[in-house]
Amino acid sequence: NWLLAHKARVSTNFGMGLEFARGIVKGLSRGLMGGLKQWFTRLPLQTLSKNIFLLFFALMMNSSLAEAGGLKETWYMYRGRENMKIGNYKAAIEAFDSAVKLNGENREAAQSLGLAYEKQGVVDAAVNQYDSFLTKWPDDPDIALRQARLLQWSRYSYRQSDAIKYYRLSLASKDDPQVRLEYADVLAAKKETSGQAIQEYERVLRRQPKSGAAHRGLAKAYAWNNDQDRALYHTQKAKEYGDQNT
């Protein structure tokens, strides 16, 4: 009965509420709570009417704020991409970091944040970001390879097992002889993994029989295992095929 008696007033305020909710999205930067407070101080409705409006307003704001968040995320992504193009990696980091904080499932933002850190030379931050990214999305061979190469730095020598893991992730998605050669070199660096290194070097040679670097690696791996005849054979092959490091 109350609604029927006040039909005109409720209808008017419903329309006003709709316009207000739409305006909030456009004016978020001017202060949501300030606008909300001013609205309710001017609202000439009884308590029940205010409760009806509040319910409606909450429903509207739920979708409106979600829309606003999406617009902010899109803006941050645009800023990040544009700053990457011009080499302003510091600004790109700020933009992609903001996008990730808005949406942790934004794969491009998470990937680009790591790339921006690496380009800026903030290596520790890049390594941490790549770790986080690959934990969630382990199917990216390019980021896995970047991480594996970064972990070859002497400061990360304690993470050799992680470097091996990321080389494997990269090779599982894209079998590249050069990457496999790098992977074999990591394995050949220690006696306990030199047996695995031999297998990887042999795989490289099946595709590139005249790879001096692969023969050099095999010479080292066989030397680890006290197989001097094979070590000498592959040393000679490395020289024959022009490996400058033999």
Side-chain angles (χ1 to χ4, degrees):
N1 291 335
W2 185 92
L3 288 173
L4 289 175
H6 297 81
K7 179 179 179 181
R9 180 180 295 181
V10 171
S11 177
T12 298
N13 283 283
F14 185 91
M16 292 170 65
L18 180 59
E19 290 303 315
F20 176 72
R22 288 174 177 168
I24 284 295
V25 177
K26 297 179 182 179
L28 281 173
S29 61
R30 294 192 296 269
L32 172 61
M33 295 310 297
L36 183 59
K37 181 179 179 181
Q38 292 180 20
W39 173 261
F40 275 107
T41 57
R42 299 199 310 266
L43 193 63
L45 295 176
Q46 298 178 14
T47 303
L48 180 58
S49 179
K50 288 184 179 180
N51 288 338
I52 293 173
F53 174 78
L54 185 59
L55 176 60
F56 158 76
F57 180 77
L59 293 173
M60 286 297 298
M61 286 304 297
N62 184 53
S63 59
S64 298
L65 288 174
E67 178 185 353
L71 290 173
K72 288 175 69 176
E73 182 182 349
T74 300
W75 168 242
Y76 287 133
M77 291 302 296
Y78 172 78
R79 282 181 54 197
R81 294 186 194 109
E82 292 303 305
N83 279 297
M84 288 292 281
K85 290 178 184 177
I86 63 174
N88 189 352
Y89 302 122
K90 182 178 180 181
I93 289 169
E94 294 174 356
F96 290 130
D97 183 57
S98 296
V100 168
K101 287 176 179 175
L102 280 174
N103 179 8
E105 298 303 313
N106 187 329
R107 178 169 178 157
E108 182 189 349
Q111 179 195 68
S112 299
L113 180 58
L115 292 171
Y117 277 132
E118 185 178 355
K119 294 286 188 180
Q120 182 69 6
V122 192
V123 180
D124 287 343
V127 167
N128 290 337
Q129 182 59 28
Y130 287 152
D131 276 336
S132 176
F133 176 86
L134 290 167
T135 297
K136 187 171 288 188
W137 296 290
D139 60 339
D140 191 315
D142 295 326
I143 296 300
L145 180 57
R146 283 181 173 276
Q147 181 73 323
R149 286 171 172 167
L150 285 178
L151 293 179
Q152 289 304 295
W153 288 31
S154 58
R155 66 197 291 181
Y156 302 116
S157 59
Y158 67 96
R159 293 194 60 183
Q160 185 185 42
S161 61
D162 289 327
I164 290 172
K165 176 182 72 174
Y166 289 127
Y167 270 119
R168 286 173 179 165
L169 279 176
S170 179
L171 288 166
S173 299
K174 185 165 64 175
D175 189 0
D176 184 310
Q178 180 57 41
V179 175
R180 190 168 296 281
L181 183 60
E182 292 178 26
Y183 172 48
D185 286 342
V186 175
L187 293 171
K190 291 188 176 182
K191 182 176 181 178
E192 53 266 33
T193 52
S194 60
Q196 299 174 53
I198 291 172
Q199 297 176 25
E200 298 303 324
Y201 286 128
E202 293 288 0
R203 292 182 67 174
V204 173
L205 288 175
R206 282 197 288 271
R207 296 180 64 178
Q208 298 179 341
K210 295 184 178 182
S211 171
H215 282 291
R216 172 172 51 83
L218 274 171
K220 180 179 180 179
Y222 279 122
W224 271 123
N225 290 274
N226 297 316
D227 191 336
Q228 301 304 322
D229 290 339
R230 289 182 179 178
L232 180 60
Y233 169 80
H234 286 289
T235 298
Q236 293 172 339
K237 283 293 183 181
K239 290 180 178 180
E240 179 183 342
Y241 295 132
D243 183 67
Q244 300 300 316
N245 296 314
T246 301

